[in-house]
Amino acid sequence: MIGNDVAHAARLLEQGKLVAIPTETVYGLAGNALDINSIGEIYRVKNRPSFNPLILHVPNLETAQKYVTHFPKEALQLVRQFWPGSLSILLPKSNIVPDVITAGSSHVVLRVPNHPITLELLNCINFPIAAPSANISNTVSPTSPNHVNQGIGHEINYILDGGNCKIGIESTIVSIKNGKVQILREGGVSREDISRQTGLQISLSKQKTVQTPGQLKKHYATQKPLYIVESISEYIKENPTQNCSKLYYEENDNHDVENIYYLSKNYDLSEIANQLFSIMRLADKDPTDCIIIEPIKLKGIGRAIDDRLKRAANN
Ligand code: TXA
Ligand code: MG
């Protein structure tokens, strides 16, 4: 079930079967993006609403160009900088891309993941892969083969083992509007990275309509309630009867040892992103009533962490 046989994974995909694949962000549930039956299986296994479109994964820019009608120059600038990597981009789709991938939209999201095993896989098949995160819809995304196995292992044929995901939260999704970059989902590549490395302007306009239908208010949710609290110590004082799992961004001299997690040693945002989903899963298994965490600093990848926490807290 779990292994590192790329040729076997390729054969399964060619036969229309589903395979979990490693990426640098989170594990994906992969199927042949040009095969309507495989796509149907992805929606079924994830219990994903059909209005929520899927990202197309390809091995390189040249292949990506087959699936879009137009690549604006700003988009080229972005992908030359960040591919392979955690940046996904929304572009006008070509006719080859089935409508079920985009949930009927005229635009498709494309990404070249930065993981050697998955790049090898993408290079030895002759179709793109549709790959949402390899979890049941709305639950915490998987960052290891075991996470995938616990959630949907019984439904799929193979989990391609690429170890733990290096980034740990999903890719950033962007579109280009009037020459500016619009952030549709915060993720592994921060706005600071984008402006520093490309000089492109980031449009700050807040859209009221949902542009990425998957970004619903409740998402990435643990089973038990997760609360974002101003101060963990105050919260515990005010709610003495509640038994909480406590998530801290850095180590401290707290003498309480039970149900405590440190997301990093020293408030390192990359390390926090990397640990977030697996620690949320661990805390979910504690014999506690809830999970509490303080707000994260809103800079760099901290914005993506904030986004995931707020959605997880919405239940
Ligand atoms: O890091 C990632 O992007 C991971 C790995 C596996 O590549 N994939 C991932 O896929 O996060 P998923 O399906 O969990 O999230 C994709 C998001 C959803 O919120 C979806 O609504 C949005 O991208 N999306 C996909 N195609 C779209 C489209 N054509 N228009 C607007 N939003 C789209
Ligand atoms: Mg997802």
Side-chain angles (χ1 to χ4, degrees):
M1 265 294 285
I2 305 184
N4 52 17
D5 187 345
V6 173
H8 179 56
R11 263 194 314 275
L12 289 170
L13 290 168
E14 275 155 11
Q15 292 163 7
K17 305 215 165 100
L18 304 186
V19 172
I21 55 163
T23 83
E24 79 283 22
T25 58
V26 299
Y27 271 73
L29 175 60
N32 178 348
L34 304 183
D35 171 10
I36 312 247
N37 292 325
S38 300
I39 303 165
E41 269 298 281
I42 293 180
Y43 280 95
R44 184 190 66 76
V45 168
K46 275 187 66 77
N47 193 19
R48 181 176 177 110
S50 60
F51 60 78
N52 191 3
L54 305 174
I55 299 180
L56 215 61
H57 295 65
V58 291
N60 50 46
L61 170 59
E62 196 193 341
T63 314
Q65 281 168 323
K66 289 207 271 182
Y67 303 107
V68 302
T69 55
H70 175 57
F71 236 107
K73 68 175 194 306
E74 294 82 6
L76 281 174
Q77 226 178 310
L78 280 171
V79 305
R80 288 211 171 101
Q81 191 65 44
F82 293 108
W83 279 1
S86 332
L87 186 98
S88 301
I89 186 155
L90 182 77
L91 292 167
K93 83 174 191 74
S94 71
N95 287 336
I96 321 172
V97 180
D99 289 333
V100 282
I101 292 281
T102 64
S105 159
S106 58
H107 285 61
V108 63
V109 174
L110 283 149
R111 151 164 153 81
V112 178
N114 190 13
H115 194 294
I117 291 180
T118 290
L119 283 171
E120 191 187 328
L121 174 67
L122 285 165
N123 274 306
C124 72
I125 52 181
N126 57 5
F127 47 84
I129 277 177
S133 50
N135 55 317
I136 306 281
S137 280
N138 294 344
T139 64
V140 182
S141 300
T143 54
S144 75
N146 272 335
H147 294 166
V148 177
N149 201 16
Q150 284 157 21
I152 57 168
H154 58 291
E155 288 274 17
I156 58 178
N157 296 89
Y158 197 59
I159 300 174
L160 194 52
D161 186 353
N164 292 339
C165 301
K166 291 222 166 75
I167 305 277
I169 50 178
E170 293 83 352
S171 63
T172 303
I173 306 179
V174 299
S175 66
I176 304 293
K177 199 165 180 199
N178 303 326
K180 288 188 184 172
V181 181
Q182 283 193 305
I183 311 253
L184 306 180
R185 173 175 77 180
E186 302 275 358
V189 171
S190 70
R191 348 178 134 185
E192 289 91 335
D193 294 337
I194 293 176
S195 39
R196 197 178 329 113
Q197 294 183 43
T198 64
L200 290 168
Q201 270 189 300
I202 314 260
S203 153
L204 294 173
S205 73
K206 276 239 164 25
Q207 298 267 338
K208 289 253 169 3
T209 55
V210 184
Q211 292 205 349
T212 46
Q215 293 306 92
L216 302 173
K217 272 199 171 158
K218 181 188 164 183
H219 209 131
Y220 314 108
T222 45
Q223 303 288 314
K224 64 180 74 158
L226 180 146
Y227 302 124
I228 304 173
V229 301
E230 211 53 59
S231 150
I232 289 181
S233 55
E234 287 300 310
Y235 185 88
I236 293 169
K237 260 187 243 153
E238 285 163 18
N239 300 276
T241 59
Q242 219 174 54
N243 189 6
C244 307
S245 296
K246 292 144 238 135
L247 274 49
Y248 292 96
Y249 298 120
E250 59 189 341
E251 290 181 1
N252 56 35
D253 51 10
N254 200 321
H255 297 298
D256 193 355
V257 284
E258 292 225 311
N259 311 319
I260 282 205
Y261 299 89
Y262 299 107
L263 288 151
S264 82
K265 197 170 162 54
N266 230 334
Y267 215 120
D268 176 331
L269 290 172
S270 305
E271 203 179 324
I272 293 167
N274 179 272
Q275 293 298 312
L276 182 66
F277 288 151
S278 58
I279 287 188
M280 279 166 67
R281 282 168 184 268
L282 290 176
D284 220 5
K285 296 204 185 98
D286 286 343
T288 54
D289 309 316
C290 63
I291 302 170
I292 53 175
I293 186 164
E294 293 176 4
I296 185 97
K297 281 182 198 157
L298 288 182
K299 63 167 198 182
I301 203 172
R303 282 204 193 80
I305 297 168
D306 177 63
D307 169 81
R308 304 305 186 269
L309 287 176
K310 285 191 176 140
R311 289 181 211 281
N314 199 259
N315 63 350

